[in-house]
Amino acid sequence: MKKVGTLNRRELLKRGGVVGGVLALSPLLQEVAMAAPTMASAPAGGDGLRIGKRIYESIGVRPMINARGTFTIISGSLMLPEVRDAIDAAARHYVHLDELADAVGTRLAELTGAEFGLVSSGCSAGLTHATAACVAGGNPDLHVRIPDLAGFQKTEVIIPRHSRNVYEAAVSAVGVRVVEVNTRAELEAAIGPQTAMVYVMAGPRVDDSELHTRAIADITEPRGVPLLVDAAAEILTIPNVHLRNGATLVAYSGGKAIRGPQSAGLVLGREDLVRAAWVHSAPHHGFARGFKVGKEEAIGMLMAVEMWVRRDHDAEWAQWTSWLEHIASRVEKVRGVTTRIVQPTGLSNRTPSLRVLWNEKELRLSGSTAVSALDAGEPRIACSSTSSDGLTGVSITPYMMMPGDERTVANELYKLLKNPPPQPETPTLPPAVDLTGRWEVQIEYLASSSTHVFELTQQGNEVTGTHQGEFVSRTLSGTISDRQVRFRSNYPESNGDALSFTFTGTAGGQAMAGALDMGEYLAAKWSAKRRG
């Protein structure tokens, strides 16, 4: 197995990629995307679900070639054939789930070198169970009170600033108070009788900081404070790099590099805490009853780990590289297109990747438009946009592709680059109104509504200001052309949350209205009235 470092999945997440990308397409590509079958618009054929190669098409869903990576929104990875066989065999018998958890945990320990293991319903659930174990220690009197921690001794989780991220919601769901620290001195001062654990997200931000895993462990171990590492998108290192660096517990996604069930995850580490994490998970009652792991996922995840230690990782790497070389040799035939194979330096989403780059003005095609066109095409291809040295382009990730996909990706990308779709000119017009001032904004969600506030300043076509939401204010920026407006606000991830709103619509002197793209939270309608 190759020795590798770490890469944070937060830094790989491309917001505004395939999801919601239609808003950024040209009118022509919007027509293509709108014409493509979707769950809402495509007919199911009248016969309902049909088992076979076109199972998704039978209900109007378009499958895709995954040249983007193990993103949950595009269903992660494909289970290995051995995992599918194990799941099928497991589904044919009844077992007692406590007995199964004990046997699976023992076998995971043998395979990974950890003291014990747990299969959870995804890495996020594993983080929740691990937090509960550190808070309540398997005590059912405490368990049934979670997330109300009134009267508990362990009520706080310390998170270094470098590890604040959207996934920490799985930790705070237990009811703990998050304490943020930024230095060794702050960490030492924050630890007390109320400290349940310290949580970090694996990646270069941790490795390159003053509070790297070993440094944190040197402080927490003498004080008896557990250290939980979130390694969701990483490969499974054996012996485990995080446990060797002093972590008490480490959690993985099962449906990414390990290629187990998408709805499964792993928690490895100190036996008493991992066993306590099982006590705080389903099928036991209480707050985590919804995080149920069936016998099928448990056996499927175990088989994925069994296969991990048998797989020829060097041969897989060579195959991925050969696919990228094939794609590169094909698209480089287009004048002005250059390619570069990039080798990773970390453990997370560990795979080579291919950057395909070109001059946007010369080809009259941007990387983001190319990504959207490939997603709207047939066959449907998922990849990511990229840029480098003033060039635009796309990035191809091979490790979730299947044999033969490299030829399809090469051919479709070549055709797109050789004959880019026409891009109609959209000149910016002088603004018809001045939006400067305070606006009361009404947002209509799927099943509720909310009132927000814009404070806007307009200079020519540029609009800046603030967007006050339910609890926090965030910076807003955008443009107006004639009466067409486009505003974007971002609630940064640095505090553990991330919200990205894009407002588009039409403005008058006293009112505005249009569509709201909320990224992973889908869409809504908005309207605004001038106030004051």
Side-chain angles (χ1 to χ4, degrees), residues 239-300:
N240 191 273
V241 63
H242 302 296
L243 296 179
R244 294 187 76 179
N245 281 337
T248 316
L249 300 165
V250 57
Y252 291 91
S253 171
K256 296 187 186 294
I258 305 174
R259 292 187 63 186
Q262 174 64 13
S263 57
L266 288 176
V267 178
L268 304 172
R270 205 175 83 192
E271 183 172 0
D272 62 330
L273 285 177
V274 178
R275 287 187 177 277
W278 171 249
V279 170
H280 295 295
S281 70
H284 312 125
H285 293 88
F287 83 106
R289 173 74 178 183
F291 301 151
K292 185 179 294 185
V293 177
K295 59 187 184 296
E296 298 83 4
E297 287 85 6
I299 290 296

Side-chain angles (χ1 to χ4, degrees), residues 296-333:
E296 298 83 4
E297 287 85 6
I299 290 296
M301 192 65 247
L302 177 59
M303 178 55 75
V305 177
E306 297 269 7
M307 293 305 302
W308 180 262
V309 300
R310 300 181 211 170
R311 285 160 58 182
D312 188 337
H313 297 280
D314 290 334
E316 289 180 342
W317 199 275
Q319 183 179 54
W320 298 337
T321 302
S322 71
W323 291 348
L324 297 182
E325 290 171 344
H326 174 81
I327 297 170
S329 66
R330 181 82 167 110
V331 299
E332 281 179 345
K333 292 181 171 64

